[in-house]
Amino acid sequence: MFMNQFEYFAPKTPGEAFELMGRLGSKARILAGGTELVILMKDRIIRPECLIDINNIEEFKGIKYEPGKGMVIGATTKIADIQYSEIVKRKYYALADAAGEIGSSQVRHMGTIGGNSCNASPSAETPTPLVAYGATVVVSSATGEREMPLEEFIQGVRMIDLKEGELLTKFKLPEPSPKLVGRYAYMGARDANEIDFVNMAVTLELEDDKQTVKSVKLVMGSVFIKPLISTAVTALLTGQKFSDELAAKAAEATQGEAKPITDVRASAEYRHEIVGVLARRLLKEAFGAAQEV
Amino acid sequence: MGAWDQRENYVREGKPSYLDERRFTQVGRSVPRIDGPAKAKGESIYTADMVLPNMVYGKIKRCKEYAHAKIKKIDCSKALALPGVLAVLTGDEAPNKWGIVPASANETALAVDKVRFYGEGVAAVAAIDEETAEAACDLIEVEYEPLPVLLDPFESMARASEVIIHENAPDNIMHKGDQIYGDVDKAFEKCEYILEREFKTGRPQQCYIEPMSAVASYDTQNGLLRLWASSQVPHYLHRQMSIVLEMPMSKIRVTLPTVGGGFGGKGEAASSEFVACLLSRKLGMPVKVTYDRDEVFFTSKGRHPCYMKWKIGLDKDGYIQAVDFDNTLDKGAYAGWGVVVMFYTASMVHLPYKVPNARTHVRNVYTNKPTTGAMRGLGGVQPRFAMECMLDELAEMMGISPYELKMKNAIESGYTAINNMYTPHTEYKKCLQTAVEKSGYLEKHGKLPFGKGIGLAGGYYITGTAYTLYQSYKPHTSVTIKVDTEGGVTVLCAAAEIGQGCNTVMAQMAAEALGVHYEDVHVQTGDTEIGSFDLGSFASRLTYGSGYAIREAAKEINEKLKAMAGGVLGCRADQLIIKDRKIYSMFEPKFTIDWATVVQKYVNSVGALIATGHFSPPRRKGIDIITGNRVQGANIGHSPTFGFSCQVHEVDVDVETGRVYVKKVTEAGDCGTAVNPMSVDGQVEGSIVFNMGAALYEEMKFDANGKHLNPNFHDYKCPTFMEMPDMDTNIVESYDPTAPFGVKETGEGAVQPTFPAITNAIYDAIGVRFYEVPITPEMILKALKEKKEKEAGCGCGCS
C-alpha cells in the first residue's frame, strides 16, 4: 500500500531530464501518468530510489498534425487528450477509439500515451492501433535520437528497447491515405474499466471500385507478448475483391497466428475463439466504412 | 384466508379520512434522504476519516504464504525495534472465540496456532503512522508448518480422516441438518411430472465501497472503551467485543459514523475492530485500523457457494406435490453465520409456492477459503435460482407457460407452510401478473429470434427474523421518542444506518405516528449508548421492527398530548386527532390547536415527553404441521411477514462471443406500504444489478494453493454504469394489516429472482439451460458448440 521513500525530480527541459538520467542511471524511474508505475510501487513490485517526472517538459507533449506529413504525438500527451482530439478522430479514428476504452475517465486524464507503450502490457489498448497505423517511436537521449517502429520498440511483456539514458519522447504517425479507414475492437467481461481479453485494430483502403482491397493491416493485442501484426490477413485480402467469405477465411487465419495464454481473465481457448470473431467483424466493419469514404 | 383478501381496493370508500389509518401523509412520500445532502457534498464522516488526538495506526500482518498452516513461531522483535512502533499484538493475547452465532463461535481476533485461509491475520502492529505500521508488519517473522489445503467442500469431507480444519469438526462439517415434512417418497409416486437437476453457485462478495475501518479509544483512567466502526451490527459487535476483551458491555460504547454499505458483509464483527480495541487498551491511546481493498477480499464474508441436488414433482395439473433438496455449502474457514445460512436455504423451499411435502438435507463444510457469511438475500438466492429454473423447465415439460405454472402454485395471504411458516399477507400473484403484463412476457416468450430471450422468475424474502442469534426473547428493537421545545422530535435507536435508508424511513414513520412532518424529525441511530436497543441491520428487519416500536412509543406521547389539548380546548381527548402538525376534534373543527402549542404547554407544565416502544416478533414453533413434531432448525426462516418480487429479464446473447447483455428488466414488488417509494426504487434497482453481476461475472478466484487471484476491483468484475439495463420497477398495491403502517421488506426480496430470470432468459435466447452461475461467455460458447454438435447428430442415425 505504501511506496518506498524516493527522491522526486521534475525537470523542465529535455536537457535537464537527460542530465538527471545520466547522473541517476538505473536508480531512477521515469514518471509520466503514474497510473501503472504508482501501482507497481504501492504493491512493492518496484522500489525506485528516484523518480523523474517528465510532465513539465513541453517538448514531450502535445498533438501536432501537419497535412501531408502526418502526426506527431508527444509521449506525455494524456490519453484523454487523444480520445477527445478532433484531428485524431478524423485522421486516426481507431486510435481515438482505443484511447477512449482505457480504464476509467480518471485514468485517461492521468495516463499518457507514452506510458501505455512503455508499460509494455500485452493487453494495452493504444499500441494495437498505433502499430496498425504504422507508428514509429522516437527514443531520445543526451547524445541523440533513435527512431523505430513501435512493434520493435515493444519487445515483450514489460520489455522495451530503451537503453540507459534514453526516453521515449514521441510517436510519429504517417499521413494516412485519404481513403484509409481504421477500426478498433475489444472483448472483455464488461464495457468499462476493463482489461481486454483480446483487442484488435484494422486499417483498410479500397481501390476506386470500392470492392478491391488496396491495402489492409490487422494488428492483435493481448494474444502475444506484444502487438501482433497479421501477415495472413494482408496476404489473403490485398488485391482481392472483399467478400464475407474472404473475411471469414482471413479471420480464421488470424486464429492460427495468435498465441494467447490462459490467465485469471480468460482462457487461451476462449481468446482463440474471440480472435476469429473480432477479426471477421472488424474486417467487415472496416470494409463497410471504407466503402463510404 | 384473511379478511384483506376479499378487498381489491385499498382506498376504502365511505371511510372518513380521519378514521382511516391507511391514509398516510408522511409515509408514502418520496422525500430526499436525511443523509443525502452530506453525502452528495462529500461532507459525511466515515470511520476512516476520523482523527483523534494522539491517535496511532494499527496494521495487521497477514499470512500470504499458505491457506492452511500451523503457526510454529512468531517473532516480533524486529518489528518492535523499528522506530515509531509502539506495540505488537498476537493471537494468543486474545484467544476468546467470537462469532455471531454463539453456539458455533470459533474465530479469534488474530489466528491462534493455525491459519485456515490465505490472508488470515497472524499479528498486528500499532505505530505512529500507517506507513511505519506496514513496514513493521514486514519485519514480523512467522514460521509455519504447511498443512494440506482443502478448497472444495467434497474434497474436504473426503479427506477429513487425513486433515481437519477445526478440532471440533472431525468430519470437516461445520453443521448439518435434515428436515422432513410429510411423505415425500409417497408424493413422488403420484406425480405426473418429475424433474431432477443439480445446481452450483459461485463465490461473489458484497463489494461495499467503504472498506472496514475501526477507531478504538480506551481510557486507562476510567476503564471505558469507545469504538467507532463501519458495521451493520453495533449490538452484536458490542457483545463480541465484551467476550474477546473480557469487559462488561456497560464499559464499551460502539458508535457508527457514516457507513458506506454493507450488504451483509459488515453483518458480523471484523478482525480490524478487535485489533483496534486490543491495541488501544494496550497503549491507552486511540488506534485506527483501516483495511486495504485486498484485506477486504481476504476477509470478506461473501456468499456461500452451494452444490445443490433437486427433485421436484408435479401432479398432472401442475400442482407441486413434493420437493427433495440436498445442499452442500462451502463454509470457508470459520463458522460465522453458517448455521443460519444453511437452514435458510432449507426454509426457502416453502415459499412462495405451496409445497405439501418436502425433504431437505443440508450440510455446511469447512474449506481453506475466506469465511462465507451473510450476503444480501442470505440463504435465499441459491435455492431460488434452482427452484425458479426448474419450474421454468417443468412448465416446458407440461407445455404451459412458466407464468401459468407459477400462478397456479403461488401462495395466498394467510398461508401456513408445512414447516409452520406463516405468511400473513402476500401480493405475490399481483407481482407475477404486473411484471408479466408490463413486460409483454407472454407475447415474447418463446417467440423472439435466436440470441434474444426473455425470462421470468419470482422470489420472496423475510422481513426480519423471529429469533435473536443467542438465546433470548427480549424485544428486538426499542425506539425512544423524545419531544421537547428545544429539539422538537428526536427518535433514538441503536439501529445501523448503512446506506439502506433506515434513518429516513424511521423519520417518516415517526412523523406519521406523531402527526407532524418528516422534516420535523431528528433521528439518532448507530450508538449503543444513546439509542435504545436494536439488533442490527440484517434480514431486512428494520423498517418493520422500528416501525412497530415507533408506533408504540408515539401512542404514549399522543395520549399525553391529547389529554393536554383536550383540557385546553375543552373537549374529550379520545375524540382528538393529531395530523399535519395540528390537534383537532374529529367531530367539531372549531376545536383545533397547533401541535407545537400543545407540546409547549405540556413541557412547561410537566416536562419533556419521552416514551419508548418495543418490538418483539411473534414466536412460532418450527414443526411439521402434519405430525406436530419439532424439526431441527425449522424455526429459521420464520418472519413476521414477507416481501415478494417478480422479475422479467430480457437479454441479448452474442452467440459468437458468448457475452450476455441484460437489456431490460421489468420488476414488480410487494413491499407492503412503500414508506419512501423513491428509496424502494433505489433498493430494487440496486438489488437487480447486485445479482446481475454475480449471475454473469462476479467471482472470487483462487489458485490450487488457495491464494487469491483477484483481490481487487480490477479483476473482480462488478457491473459498471455501462452494464445498467433499462429498468421498469413497479411497486404493487399492498398493505399488510398485521404490520406497522402495512410495511414489509424490500432490500433483499428483489435480489432473489435475478439469477433464475437471467438464466431462463438465456435459455429462451439460445435454447441452452445453465445450472451454474456465473454464466460466463466461455460457458455460453462451449454450450453452443455442444448444442450444435448434438443437433448435427453423432452420425449413427440415432438422431
Side-chain angles (χ1 to χ4, degrees):
Chain A
M1 175 61 189
F2 289 97
M3 296 180 275
N4 59 298
Q5 302 282 328
F6 57 86
E7 211 172 335
Y8 172 83
F9 300 91
K12 289 198 166 57
T13 64
E16 281 173 43
F18 296 132
E19 187 274 321
L20 280 166
M21 288 166 64
R23 186 151 54 83
L24 301 170
S26 61
K27 285 196 280 186
R29 289 293 293 252
I30 302 297
L31 172 68
T35 56
E36 297 284 351
L37 186 79
V38 172
I39 293 171
L40 293 175
M41 288 173 69
K42 282 189 166 183
D43 287 345
R44 312 265 183 97
I45 293 166
I46 55 166
R47 298 164 188 248
E49 285 175 51
C50 310
L51 287 188
I52 303 172
D53 180 346
I54 56 169
N55 284 293
N56 297 330
I57 303 169
E58 283 306 317
E59 287 87 337
F60 293 167
K61 64 174 137 192
I63 300 165
K64 293 175 200 80
Y65 173 73
E66 215 178 307
K69 288 194 170 166
M71 184 175 279
V72 175
I73 303 177
T76 58
T77 307
K78 298 293 181 192
I79 296 292
D81 291 336
I82 292 161
Q83 175 189 359
Y84 296 118
S85 158
E86 286 306 321
I87 187 71
V88 175
K89 278 191 229 172
R90 203 157 66 235
K91 291 285 172 186
Y92 308 96
Y93 177 79
L95 176 61
D97 192 11
E101 294 298 342
I102 292 179
S104 60
S105 184
Q106 291 91 328
V107 167
R108 294 192 290 273
H109 279 85
M110 287 299 291
T112 65
I113 188 158
N116 202 220
S117 278
C118 286
N119 187 50
S121 160
S123 62
E125 285 84 353
T126 57
T128 313
L130 282 168
V131 169
Y133 284 115
T136 57
V137 294
V138 175
V139 165
S140 313
S141 65
T143 54
E145 286 186 346
R146 292 193 291 140
E147 191 174 332
M148 70 195 92
L150 177 58
E151 63 268 28
E152 286 173 21
F153 175 71
I154 300 174
Q155 296 172 318
V157 182
R158 313 248 173 224
M159 279 166 58
I160 46 176
D161 182 8
L162 211 55
K163 297 184 182 71
E164 207 168 294
E166 284 186 330
L167 263 179
L168 171 69
T169 52
K170 52 192 165 216
F171 294 82
K172 285 184 171 174
L173 284 85
E175 172 74 28
S177 150
K179 287 180 182 164
L180 186 87
V181 299
R183 287 294 181 271
Y184 174 80
Y186 69 97
M187 179 53 57
R190 61 184 178 193
D191 286 328
N193 266 315
E194 187 53 292
I195 300 169
D196 302 339
F197 300 163
V198 177
N199 65 44
M200 201 174 275
V202 166
T203 54
L204 185 139
E205 186 182 3
L206 295 177
E207 299 283 3
D208 291 340
D209 67 357
K210 303 240 176 217
Q211 294 296 330
T212 308
V213 177
K214 188 174 175 189
S215 75
V216 62
K217 187 172 178 185
L218 183 145
V219 183
M220 297 172 259
S222 208
V223 295
F224 185 52
I225 55 166
K226 60 182 205 162
L228 182 65
I229 303 169
S230 168
T231 50
V233 167
T234 307
L236 281 164
L237 293 183
T238 310
Q240 301 294 315
K241 276 204 161 39
F242 191 93
S243 68
D244 287 356
E245 293 73 34
L246 202 56
K249 207 173 149 192
E252 210 183 309
T254 60
Q255 290 178 296
E257 295 175 303
K259 294 172 187 70
I261 58 155
T262 294
D263 64 13
V264 67
R265 294 175 197 122
S267 70
E269 296 75 45
Y270 182 69
R271 288 191 161 105
H272 186 262
E273 282 295 316
I274 295 306
V275 164
V277 175
L278 285 192
R280 181 163 39 80
R281 288 182 179 177
L282 207 51
L283 285 169
K284 281 158 90 165
E285 190 192 334
F287 173 69
Q291 283 191 308
E292 302 297 316
V293 178
Chain B
M1 254 198 181
W4 47 88
D5 275 308
Q6 279 83 50
R7 194 195 57 249
E8 280 299 311
N9 200 338
Y10 283 86
V11 177
R12 288 158 310 159
E13 300 297 330
K15 189 150 186 175
S17 67
Y18 56 82
L19 287 178
D20 190 346
E21 75 282 8
R22 297 179 199 178
R23 288 207 197 165
F24 301 123
T25 64
Q26 302 306 309
V27 161
R29 280 176 74 193
S30 284
V31 291
R33 293 168 53 138
I34 287 182
D35 50 341
K39 281 181 176 165
K41 288 186 285 180
E43 289 172 1
S44 296
I45 307 288
Y46 296 82
T47 309
D49 296 326
M50 286 181 59
V51 179
L52 296 180
N54 299 321
M55 188 176 85
V56 299
Y57 296 81
K59 202 85 198 161
I60 296 174
K61 162 88 177 175
R62 296 185 179 281
C63 175
K64 304 252 184 94
E65 292 87 359
Y66 307 103
H68 198 193
K70 276 186 193 155
I71 300 171
K72 304 294 282 180
K73 195 179 147 198
I74 302 178
D75 182 354
C76 298
S77 54
K78 283 184 189 158
L80 268 172
L82 186 73
V85 172
L86 302 165
V88 294
L89 180 75
T90 50
D92 53 358
E93 294 177 60
N96 286 3
K97 305 245 166 83
W98 63 271
I100 193 148
V101 183
S104 61
N106 64 356
E107 277 193 75
T108 46
L110 293 164
V112 177
D113 299 334
K114 200 174 163 182
V115 291
R116 294 177 174 87
F117 65 90
Y118 177 86
E120 184 165 4
V122 288
V125 174
I128 51 163
D129 56 32
E130 230 179 333
E131 210 171 333
T132 308
E134 194 176 277
C137 282
D138 289 347
L139 295 174
I140 295 175
E141 288 164 356
V142 189
E143 212 177 288
Y144 297 103
E145 180 189 319
L147 294 166
V149 174
L150 302 172
L151 298 177
D152 171 82
F154 296 99
E155 189 196 356
S156 182
M157 288 187 283
R159 293 178 64 190
S161 58
E162 177 197 337
V163 51
I164 55 170
I165 294 171
H166 288 277
E167 290 301 322
N168 63 353
D171 47 7
N172 281 335
I173 295 174
M174 186 246 144
H175 202 68
K176 60 183 172 184
D178 302 323
Q179 297 183 349
I180 295 158
Y181 307 98
D183 193 332
V184 173
D185 293 321
K186 209 167 120 195
F188 273 122
E189 278 171 26
K190 292 185 193 151
C191 285
E192 182 81 14
Y193 305 96
I194 293 175
L195 185 65
E196 283 185 74
R197 288 288 179 255
E198 289 187 20
F199 289 83
K200 201 175 131 192
T201 57
R203 209 307 188 180
Q205 68 127 312
Q206 294 88 354
C207 297
Y208 31 81
I209 296 301
E210 181 209 15
M212 272 80 155
S213 184
V215 174
S217 179
Y218 180 80
D219 190 320
T220 49
Q221 284 284 311
N222 56 22
L224 293 176
L225 174 67
R226 288 205 67 179
L227 170 63
W228 292 266
S230 172
S231 174
Q232 297 178 225
V233 283
H235 167 64
Y236 283 106
L237 169 57
H238 193 189
R239 211 168 169 269
Q240 306 307 309
M241 199 54 72
S242 158
I243 292 167
V244 173
L245 272 75
E246 296 179 341
M247 283 171 66
M249 284 178 80
S250 62
K251 296 281 184 192
I252 304 171
R253 174 178 175 189
V254 177
T255 306
L256 308 186
T258 312
V259 178
F263 311 105
K266 295 171 184 168
E268 46 193 308
S271 181
S272 49
E273 291 150 2
F274 298 111
V275 166
C277 288
L278 288 161
L279 285 171
S280 179
R281 188 168 65 176
K282 220 170 179 176
L283 287 167
M285 296 162 104
V287 177
K288 175 153 83 178
V289 178
T290 301
Y291 281 174
D292 288 335
R293 183 57 60 182
D294 61 355
E295 294 181 283
V296 175
F297 273 93
F298 297 152
T299 62
S300 73
K301 301 194 167 171
R303 190 178 282 148
H304 288 67
C306 286
Y307 301 78
M308 304 178 281
K309 289 180 189 165
W310 285 82
K311 187 176 175 185
I312 299 179
L314 312 178
D315 69 11
K316 63 176 180 16
D317 299 317
Y319 291 99
I320 300 171
Q321 295 304 312
V323 173
D324 198 353
F325 170 39
D326 181 283
N327 192 10
T328 303
L329 298 93
D330 184 344
K331 179 76 247 55
Y334 291 95
W337 281 88
V339 178
V340 177
V341 176
M342 184 186 80
F343 279 121
Y344 264 114
T345 67
S347 79
M348 292 291 155
V349 168
H350 302 288
L351 291 180
Y353 306 107
K354 294 172 200 158
V355 176
N357 299 282
R359 182 167 58 203
T360 57
H361 300 292
V362 289
R363 64 203 66 80
N364 210 342
V365 185
Y366 285 122
T367 56
N368 294 117
K369 286 191 290 195
T371 305
T372 44
M375 179 159 155
R376 204 176 196 172
L378 76 81
V381 170
Q382 304 93 327
R384 187 59 40 218
F385 165 49
M387 247 183 129
E388 292 290 316
C389 287
M390 286 181 78
L391 289 178
D392 206 76
E393 204 167 345
L394 280 159
E396 193 183 11
M397 279 168 78
M398 288 184 67
I400 64 170
S401 158
Y403 171 61
E404 192 186 332
L405 184 64
K406 287 171 189 185
M407 282 295 276
K408 198 184 271 266
N409 285 285
I411 63 154
E412 284 124 18
S413 295
Y415 173 73
T416 302
I418 193 159
N419 68 341
N420 203 26
M421 212 153 86
Y422 175 68
T423 306
H425 176 261
T426 175
E427 299 292 355
Y428 180 50
K429 286 186 181 177
K430 211 189 274 177
C431 295
L432 285 166
Q433 212 177 340
T434 308
V436 162
E437 279 169 12
K438 289 208 72 178
S439 62
Y441 174 80
L442 293 175
E443 294 73 46
K444 293 175 186 166
H445 184 238
K447 301 179 186 91
L448 296 171
F450 188 68
K452 284 184 188 297
I454 189 165
L456 166 78
Y460 81 98
Y461 208 63
I462 53 171
T463 304
T465 57
Y467 301 90
T468 56
L469 292 164
Y470 49 89
Q471 281 298 312
S472 170
Y473 296 101
K474 63 184 171 191
H476 288 195
T477 299
S478 299
V479 173
T480 300
I481 298 178
K482 182 176 70 136
V483 180
D484 61 24
T485 45
E486 291 73 34
V489 178
T490 308
V491 172
L492 301 130
C493 178
E497 169 64 84
I498 60 166
Q500 85 276 38
C502 72
N503 284 6
T504 305
V505 297
M506 283 167 77
Q508 288 184 259
M509 293 187 295
E512 187 68 53
L514 291 168
V516 295
H517 289 184
Y518 159 71
E519 292 79 359
D520 303 335
V521 181
H522 307 280
V523 181
Q524 284 290 336
T525 54
D527 193 302
T528 57
E529 197 166 292
I530 296 173
S532 301
F533 181 82
D534 179 65
L535 273 182
S537 288
F538 56 92
S540 292
R541 52 178 300 280
L542 208 45
T543 306
Y544 192 111
S546 72
Y548 192 99
I550 283 167
R551 206 177 54 179
E552 295 298 302
K555 206 184 285 168
E556 206 179 310
I557 287 170
N558 288 346
E559 271 165 24
K560 287 176 183 166
L561 288 176
K562 281 179 189 175
M564 177 65 65
V568 174
L569 292 168
C571 68
R572 276 176 53 172
D574 65 356
Q575 292 177 359
L576 292 174
I577 296 286
I578 311 184
K579 235 180 173 72
D580 221 6
R581 296 172 175 156
K582 290 207 181 320
I583 305 181
Y584 54 91
S585 162
M586 65 178 80
F587 300 113
E588 291 149 288
K590 65 175 179 185
F591 294 125
T592 299
I593 187 166
D594 282 347
W595 180 84
T597 308
V598 182
V599 167
Q600 194 171 26
K601 286 182 188 300
Y602 192 95
V603 171
N604 286 348
S605 53
V606 186
L609 291 125
I610 296 174
T612 300
H614 304 285
F615 166 68
S616 289
R619 276 182 79 177
R620 292 177 72 82
K621 281 184 178 169
I623 55 167
D624 176 345
I625 60 167
I626 295 169
T627 61
N629 293 338
R630 232 187 91 66
V631 177
Q632 181 205 5
N635 51 13
I636 292 178
H638 290 192
S639 173
T641 191
F642 300 90
F644 297 85
S645 169
C646 175
Q647 286 168 25
V648 175
H649 283 238
E650 292 172 66
V651 303
D652 279 3
V653 179
D654 185 329
V655 296
E656 289 182 339
T657 64
R659 276 278 297 268
V660 175
Y661 300 87
V662 178
K663 303 301 277 188
K664 179 157 192 202
V665 182
T666 309
E667 192 270 353
D670 166 12
C671 63
T673 303
V675 178
N676 186 325
M678 184 165 66
S679 275
V680 172
D681 284 341
Q683 279 285 2
V684 171
E685 289 181 7
S687 293
I688 292 167
V689 177
F690 190 84
N691 255 7
M692 187 183 89
L696 299 175
Y697 25 77
E698 286 187 43
E699 177 85 337
M700 287 170 67
K701 293 176 184 169
F702 306 90
D703 72 7
N705 300 315
K707 182 188 170 182
H708 273 247
L709 296 173
N710 57 347
N712 54 62
F713 283 150
H714 234 141
D715 285 320
Y716 179 99
K717 315 276 184 188
C718 304
T720 70
F721 192 76
M722 300 293 286
E723 279 69 48
M724 271 295 282
D726 184 7
M727 296 261 195
D728 177 15
T729 60
N730 301 276
I731 301 169
V732 305
E733 186 102 48
S734 170
Y735 184 93
D736 181 345
T738 65
F741 311 100
V743 301
K744 301 180 181 181
E745 69 82 34
T746 192
E748 297 183 272
V751 303
Q752 308 291 339
T754 306
F755 281 5
I758 291 175
T759 311
N760 290 337
I762 292 172
Y763 172 71
D764 190 48
I766 61 170
V768 179
R769 287 201 187 271
F770 288 90
Y771 302 98
E772 184 184 342
V773 283
I775 304 168
T776 63
E778 308 211 28
M779 285 161 65
I780 300 256
L781 282 196
K782 191 163 164 267
L784 281 169
K785 209 172 152 194
E786 283 166 9
K787 184 177 174 239
K788 212 170 163 185
E789 281 163 8
K790 207 172 151 194
E791 280 166 3
C794 55
C796 72
C798 64
S799 86

